[in-house]
């Protein structure tokens, strides 16, 4: 651990002169095999079977894998097209944060695709069948399968490469297909597949049963009452107008939970009837990470069922990046149409869209000075940035969270161009890689973001970074201490809202207006 | 003999070129796009998508964001190629349209910039270690093929001019199945042979990026997954799904 910490520190401290100019500078020379040893734990048979995959590698695994590849070619235009049309121009080669962090050439997006493309060519194209070595085609062997497992679990499916590809080739699509093929021969990943199993069994990624949720929410109600003097409810399984689906990390992890408190205060101030569902207590959908539409749908259908059972009119999703992609791009597609919900609101809606609407309507009152000890920046989470939208115009996903932060904080600075908005860098833990067995990769993959942060820390004195993603928050609270920050220097956007919001009838309101009244009295 | 070989070669090459590309387009067209996955921020309207696509195929917008050197060489290469193609229409059309006549002087010198662009791309492939790493022999050979076509063409434009009238008669004859003799000229044979080869490998190679870019779901989809219902064609309809039972039962 200490060695790793030191390495990560060195990555930032001992920068060559070029780095003074370019905050994202890294040595662009490939170092073959530099990340070959970083491998996550494969899933045990019982966890594979729970998701409908074989527990062990079948005798005819090669045939099964190739049949799966053929099947996916017929189901996904992206996969079929992307394998054909890459011209190897090289535009993506220096864009992946895992390549920047590890220098392993197989972490260059095009090289990562080629691990699979080479096999596709061998079995599915004429040139690959007739002249394999000419076109870089190769046989599918056990070594190739292991290589797939290693490097397709070093991709966080963040889509940064697709921004820079002249044909829009999205490595995430290839990674998802590769993971689906691996699963089809019993070669799944422990972390992702165990978690999907927990959702099926208990209702959320963390395996929190209803009684645990109940007591957590009660504790939070007490905490809010202690802080504000206002009884703010966090209802569970109650009939309501709004179903809130947060990532389950919001129920217990720091700084996630402060975000949940923020949502509750906003709902309270808005005067809406809302509830959380113990059945659909998870916005995350890890089945997206493994490219399984069947499992992704099974998870998504829980939200549909909860919405029907609780009789809600709206669905709002909490702060989570890939969950927002799963909701924004996939919920309607997989579990729609939602014709039984109120069509006047987006389905689903992001909590930031909800809060920003209220702010624009002037329905929320803030005391921005409560955040004056903080100087903030905002980390655009990859799935929010490149696979979703907020509001009614392209790019709203960048502006709305920033608008909220600026409405509740006085000190805000963006990180350098090229590291934010559509070119944002992944935290290093997305795509199902947020597991301790990949800690070295997470650290190295997070280093480009840390360099960009360091830049604004030095220039503007930024001391906190806000995010709207459960994975980003967990990842940063783990790796930031290795780069000279504190583990609580990553914050939820709604945590900032929670700090500043002045609830009607609260202690904070009395303090503010009390002074006002005294002043008014004095004037008389 | 020479005429017969080249006539047959061009019939075969043309059939593979057109048939192959048509087949690929049919293939891509008929493969489902099961979800709305544009790389965002993405346009919401069809007009917006058309604008995004137009920028992608004319000014290579994404490549511009990605790498300025590749962009310069790729623009040199592709813009020159367009001029060259327009100029070459004069060998297939009688009378020669005004636009084609107009492009003639530019088209001649485009041959030089075409070769320059291809050389630039080849140099990157050979000398930038990251690009060298991802290059297969076919990636180099593709550029060598273009260089061969370009240099043999330049040779005929600026050094040893073949019997252009005869060449045009040959191609006009091919089109109406009334073969005319192909003038004997070494650079011409090389040039035409390589062009036929290019047509033959097109539908089986990365040259498919040309028709393929129009089908790329991350670029050609509108960003409307919430506004419009877009079911997955190969999953059972929503009224036939089973829900997981409540927990603890």
């Amino acid at each position: 651990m200490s060695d790793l910490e030191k390495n990560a520190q060195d990555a930032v401290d001992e920068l060559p002169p070029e780095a003074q100019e370019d905050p994202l500078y890294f040595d662009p020379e490939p170092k073959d095999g530099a990340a070959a040893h970083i491998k996550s734990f494969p899933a045990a048979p019982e966890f594979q079977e729970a998701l409908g995959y074989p527990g062990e590698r079948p005798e005819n695994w090669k045939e099964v894998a190739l049949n799966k590849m053929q099947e996916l070619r017929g189901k996904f235009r992206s996969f079929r097209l992307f394998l054909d049309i890459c011209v190897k121009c090289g535009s993506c080669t220096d864009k992946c944060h895992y390549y920047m962090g590890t220098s392993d050439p197989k972490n260059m997006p095009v090289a990562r695709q080629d691990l699979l493309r080479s096999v596709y060519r061998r079995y599915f194209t004429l040139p690959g069948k007739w002249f394999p070595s000419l076109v870089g085609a190769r046989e599918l062997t056990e070594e190739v399968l292991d290589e797939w497992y290693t490097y397709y679990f070093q991709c966080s499916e963040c889509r940064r490469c697709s921004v820079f590809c002249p044909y829009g080739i999205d490595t995430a699509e290839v990674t998802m297909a590769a993971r689906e093929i691996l699963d089809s021969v019993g070669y799944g990943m422990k972390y992702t597949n165990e978690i999907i199993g927990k959702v099926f069994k208990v209702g959320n990624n963390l395996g929190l049963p209803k009684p645990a949720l109940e007591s957590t929410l009660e504790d939070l109600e007490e905490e809010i009452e202690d802080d504000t003097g206002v009884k703010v409810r966090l209802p569970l399984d109650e009939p309501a107008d709004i179903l809130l689906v947060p990532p389950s990390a919001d129920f217990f992890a720091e700084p996630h939970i402060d975000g949940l408190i923020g949502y509750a205060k906003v709902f309270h101030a808005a005067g809406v009837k809302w509830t959380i569902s113990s059945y659909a207590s998870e916005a995350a959908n890890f089945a997206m990470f493994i490219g399984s539409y069947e499992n992704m749908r099974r998870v998504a259908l829980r939200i549909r069922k909860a919405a029907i059972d609780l009789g809600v009119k709206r669905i709002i999703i909490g702060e989570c990046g890939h969950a927002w992609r799963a909701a924004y791009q996939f919920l309607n597609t997989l579990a729609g149409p939602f014709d039984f919900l109120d069509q006047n609101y987006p389905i689903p809606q992001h909590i930031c869209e909800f809060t920003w609407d209220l702010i624009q309507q002037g329905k929320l009152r803030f005391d921005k000075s409560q955040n004056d000890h903080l100087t903030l920046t905002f980390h655009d989470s990859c799935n929010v940035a490149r696979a979703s939208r907020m509001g009614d115009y392209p790019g709203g996903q960048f502006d709305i969270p920033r608008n909220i932060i600026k409405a509740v904080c006085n000190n805000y600075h963006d990180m350098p161009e090229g590291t934010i908005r559509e070119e944002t860098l992944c935290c290093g833990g997305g795509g199902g890689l947020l597991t301790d067995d990949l800690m070295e990769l997470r650290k190295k993959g997070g280093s480009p973001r840390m360099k960009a942060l360091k830049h604004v820390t030095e220039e503007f004195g930024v001391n906190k970074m806000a995010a709207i993603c459960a994975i980003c928050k967990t990842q940063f609270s783990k790796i930031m201490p290795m780069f000279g920050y504190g583990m609580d220097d990553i914050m939820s956007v709604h945590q900032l809202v929670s700090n500043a919001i002045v609830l009607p009838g609260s202690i904070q309101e009395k303090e503010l207006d009390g002074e006002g009244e005294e002043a008014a009295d004095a004037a008389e | 003999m020479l005429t017969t070989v080249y006539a047959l070669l061009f019939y075969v090459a043309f059939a593979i070129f057109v048939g192959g590309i048509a087949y690929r387009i049919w293939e891509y067209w008929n493969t489902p796009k099961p979800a709305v996955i544009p790389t965002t921020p993405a346009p919401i309207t069809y007009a917006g998508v058309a604008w995004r696509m137009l920028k992608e195929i004319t000014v290579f917008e994404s490549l511009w964001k990605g790498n300025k050197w590749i962009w310069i060489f790729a623009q040199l290469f592709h813009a020159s190629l367009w001029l060259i193609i327009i100029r070459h229409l004069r060998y297939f059309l009688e009378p020669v349209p005004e636009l084609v006549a107009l492009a003639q002087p530019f088209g001649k010198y485009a041959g030089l910039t075409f070769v320059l662009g291809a050389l630039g791309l080849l140099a990157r492939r050979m000398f930038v270690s990251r690009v060298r790493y991802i290059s297969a022999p076919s990636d180099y050979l593709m550029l060598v093929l273009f260089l061969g076509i370009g240099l043999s063409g330049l040779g005929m434009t600026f050094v040893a001019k073949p019997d252009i009238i005869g060449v045009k008669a040959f191609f006009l004859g091919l089109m109406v199945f009334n073969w005319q003799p192909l003038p004997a000229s070494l650079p011409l044979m090389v040039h035409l042979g390589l062009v036929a080869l290019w047509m033959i490998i097109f539908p089986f190679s990365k040259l498919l990026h040309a028709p393929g870019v129009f089908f790329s779901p991350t670029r050609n989809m509108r960003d409307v997954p919430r506004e419009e219902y877009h079911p997955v064609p190969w999953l059972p309809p929503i009224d036939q799904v089973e829900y997981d039972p409540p927990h603890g039962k």
Side-chain angles (χ1 to χ4, degrees):
Chain A
M1 194 70 176
S2 59
D3 268 358
L4 287 172
E5 278 176 32
K6 189 176 172 304
N7 289 345
Q9 193 73 55
D10 289 350
V12 178
D13 285 349
E14 295 173 17
L15 294 178
E18 294 92 321
Q20 307 304 323
E21 305 290 312
D22 176 4
L24 263 190
Y25 177 83
F26 68 98
D27 179 5
E29 282 305 300
K31 296 179 187 66
D32 224 343
H37 63 285
I38 308 177
K39 200 172 163 179
S40 52
F41 299 136
E46 51 170 313
F47 294 110
Q48 285 296 98
E49 283 158 7
L51 306 192
Y53 299 119
E56 306 281 348
R57 192 173 307 175
E59 276 292 301
N60 61 339
W61 65 269
K62 197 165 148 181
E63 195 189 328
V64 173
L66 292 173
N67 285 343
K68 184 51 108 174
M69 196 185 285
Q70 170 73 345
E71 181 195 324
L72 296 178
R73 283 182 73 220
K75 283 180 167 177
F76 296 92
R77 186 186 294 175
S78 53
F79 184 57
R80 179 173 216 129
L81 187 78
F82 293 165
L83 292 183
D84 276 349
I85 65 172
C86 175
V87 301
K88 315 291 174 81
C89 72
S91 176
C92 64
T93 52
D94 53 355
K95 303 299 188 291
C96 175
H97 52 287
Y98 291 120
Y99 179 67
M100 296 181 194
T102 66
S103 297
D104 188 317
K106 290 190 177 115
N107 277 328
M108 300 190 294
V110 46
R112 195 187 310 283
Q113 298 159 25
D114 276 351
L115 299 175
L116 196 141
R117 187 179 283 117
S118 54
V119 172
Y120 158 77
R121 284 195 169 157
R122 183 73 183 91
Y123 296 95
F124 297 97
T125 71
L126 277 186
K129 282 175 187 167
W130 294 350
F131 320 104
S133 53
L134 184 73
V135 295
R138 59 178 181 167
E139 301 277 336
L140 178 56
T141 62
E142 299 223 6
E143 291 72 42
V144 169
L145 210 61
D146 285 335
E147 195 177 46
W148 283 1
Y149 184 88
T150 302
Y151 288 102
Y152 285 115
F153 286 103
Q154 294 192 19
C155 168
S156 61
E157 302 175 348
C158 79
R159 308 186 105 197
R160 189 167 195 261
C161 48
S162 84
V163 170
F164 303 102
C165 174
Y167 318 111
I169 296 174
D170 179 9
T171 308
E173 293 289 309
V174 179
T175 293
M176 288 175 189
R179 292 181 182 181
E180 173 80 340
I181 294 168
L182 286 166
D183 271 323
S184 77
V185 295
Y187 204 166
M189 194 229 208
K190 179 172 183 270
Y191 173 70
T192 51
N193 292 8
E194 275 188 23
I195 278 181
I196 300 166
K198 276 186 210 159
V199 175
F200 293 155
K201 229 171 164 176
V202 191
N204 52 58
N205 283 9
L206 298 168
L208 299 170
K210 184 170 179 179
L213 292 178
E214 269 168 350
S215 70
T216 301
L217 296 176
E218 274 168 30
D219 288 350
L220 291 181
E221 288 178 355
E222 277 172 31
E223 191 182 323
I224 298 175
E225 196 171 358
D226 287 348
D227 286 348
T228 65
V230 181
K231 181 123 189 82
V232 172
R233 296 279 337 272
L234 282 93
L236 185 68
D237 293 335
E238 292 179 15
D241 293 330
I242 294 176
L243 170 65
L244 172 76
V245 191
S248 59
D250 282 4
F251 294 121
F252 92 113
E254 287 286 350
H256 313 58
I257 201 161
D258 301 301
L260 178 59
I261 291 172
Y263 319 153
K265 288 181 179 174
V266 170
F267 284 132
H268 180 89
V272 293
K273 278 184 74 183
W274 67 287
T275 188
I276 292 167
S277 157
S278 64
Y279 176 74
S281 49
E282 180 62 77
N285 193 335
F286 275 32
M288 187 174 86
F289 294 152
I290 59 167
S292 165
Y293 274 43
E294 286 76 11
N295 282 304
M296 208 195 322
R297 182 181 221 191
R298 206 175 143 191
V299 176
L301 282 173
R302 308 171 74 87
I303 297 177
R304 181 185 177 89
K305 182 169 156 55
I308 294 171
D309 290 351
L310 293 165
V312 299
K313 309 235 169 27
R314 301 165 67 179
I315 296 171
I316 293 184
I317 307 295
E319 292 185 5
C320 183
H322 89 278
W324 180 234
R325 179 181 187 184
Y328 179 86
Q329 288 191 334
F330 291 103
L331 187 62
N332 195 19
T333 286
L334 293 169
F338 287 93
D339 35 22
F340 56 89
L341 296 179
D342 187 341
Q343 304 296 313
N344 293 316
Y345 299 97
I347 304 165
Q349 192 174 25
H350 194 280
I351 184 69
C352 284
E353 292 180 308
F354 181 81
T355 301
W356 177 235
D357 272 354
L358 291 172
I359 293 174
Q360 281 178 303
Q361 292 166 23
K363 288 191 178 160
L364 301 181
R365 184 176 175 195
F366 297 113
D367 174 11
K368 290 169 86 166
S369 69
Q370 293 300 319
N371 285 319
D372 273 353
H373 58 299
L374 312 173
T375 302
L376 278 142
T377 192
F378 178 68
H379 165 76
D380 291 284
S381 298
C382 46
N383 279 301
V384 176
R386 289 183 286 261
S388 84
R389 171 162 53 92
M390 286 182 203
D392 54 8
Y393 66 95
Q397 68 269 36
F398 308 128
D399 299 336
I400 288 177
R402 284 176 172 79
N403 291 344
I404 295 176
I405 296 173
K406 287 172 189 169
V408 301
C409 302
N410 284 314
N411 314 317
Y412 178 83
H413 298 278
D414 263 328
M415 283 180 276
E417 288 294 315
T419 73
I420 55 170
R421 299 173 75 94
E422 73 168 344
E423 295 182 24
T424 189
L425 294 153
C426 171
C427 62
L433 309 184
L434 192 73
T435 168
D436 283 352
D437 21 324
L438 291 176
M439 192 51 80
E440 182 184 351
L441 183 78
R442 286 167 55 189
K443 241 161 269 172
K444 289 177 172 171
S447 65
R449 169 50 79 216
M450 289 295 104
K451 287 181 195 175
L453 176 62
K454 193 152 182 140
H455 190 79
V456 282
T457 297
E458 280 163 14
E459 197 167 345
F460 305 112
V462 167
N463 55 17
K464 299 278 172 185
M465 181 163 69
I468 47 171
C469 172
I471 287 175
C472 294
K473 292 172 197 170
T474 303
Q475 157 77 352
F476 285 131
S477 61
K478 196 98 179 183
I479 68 161
M480 282 174 89
M482 298 158 192
F483 292 88
Y485 292 90
M487 64 180 295
D488 56 354
D489 288 341
I490 176 72
M491 297 181 75
S492 299
V493 167
H494 276 79
Q495 179 180 4
L496 299 164
V497 173
S498 173
N499 288 350
I501 198 166
V502 181
L503 295 176
S506 65
I507 301 167
Q508 287 79 7
E509 186 183 55
K510 283 177 198 122
E511 277 173 8
L512 281 173
D513 295 346
E515 285 169 24
E517 277 165 33
E518 281 161 31
D521 291 344
E524 277 174 50
Chain B
M1 177 65 190
L2 178 72
T3 301
T4 311
V5 169
Y6 271 79
L8 292 177
L9 176 64
F10 267 87
Y11 283 139
V12 170
F14 188 72
I16 292 177
F17 180 73
V18 174
I21 291 177
Y23 177 73
R24 291 296 177 211
I25 288 178
W26 180 85
E27 221 185 16
Y28 298 145
W29 190 280
N30 285 294
T31 308
K33 294 187 279 189
V36 184
I37 57 162
T39 307
T40 61
I44 296 167
T45 61
Y46 286 111
V49 166
W51 177 237
R52 182 184 205 180
M53 202 51 103
L54 187 72
K55 284 189 288 182
E56 219 44 280
I57 60 174
T58 53
V59 297
F60 305 165
E61 187 185 26
S62 297
L63 186 58
W64 173 258
K65 290 179 197 166
N67 189 301
K68 302 292 185 281
W69 278 111
I70 307 176
W71 186 90
I72 289 167
F73 294 133
Q75 277 293 351
L76 262 184
F77 181 86
H78 287 90
S80 307
L81 184 59
W82 278 115
L83 281 171
I84 291 167
I85 288 172
I86 292 169
R87 183 184 93 85
H88 276 68
L89 288 177
R90 70 188 297 113
Y91 303 126
F92 306 93
L93 300 171
E94 185 59 45
V96 176
E98 206 172 324
L99 177 77
V100 176
L102 217 66
Q104 177 67 12
F106 305 103
K108 277 173 75 170
Y109 293 98
L112 292 168
T113 48
F114 176 78
V115 166
L116 199 65
L119 282 173
L121 293 172
L122 187 63
R124 277 192 59 81
R125 208 168 277 296
M126 285 167 26
F127 301 119
V128 177
S129 51
R130 295 191 314 277
V131 188
R132 189 167 63 235
Y133 183 89
I134 57 169
S135 300
S138 57
D139 295 311
Y140 295 99
L141 289 176
M142 196 68 81
L143 286 167
V144 171
L145 173 67
F146 282 121
L147 283 173
I149 293 173
L151 290 172
S152 58
L154 285 175
M156 288 184 287
T157 307
F158 296 107
V159 187
K161 292 194 169 145
D163 169 13
I164 285 298
I165 309 288
V167 174
K168 181 160 184 174
F170 171 77
F171 278 104
L172 289 178
L174 271 191
M175 292 193 280
V176 294
F177 300 97
N178 174 20
W179 296 359
Q180 302 298 317
L182 179 68
S185 146
L186 187 63
L188 180 67
M189 284 165 62
V190 171
H191 191 68
L192 295 183
L194 292 179
V195 169
L197 179 62
W198 173 79
M199 288 164 79
I200 289 167
I201 62 174
F202 195 110
F204 305 99
S205 67
K206 64 179 185 178
L207 296 173
L208 285 169
H209 69 278
V213 63
F214 294 97
F215 291 89
S216 181
T218 60
R219 292 290 179 272
N220 76 5
M221 295 189 90
R222 290 175 305 137
D223 183 26
V224 289
R226 292 193 291 188
E227 291 81 353
E228 290 174 22
Y229 180 48
H230 182 102
V232 181
W234 33 266
L235 284 180
I238 195 74
D239 50 9
Q240 289 170 28
V241 297
E242 279 182 35
Y243 296 96
D244 284 338
H247 313 293
K249 295 281 172 325

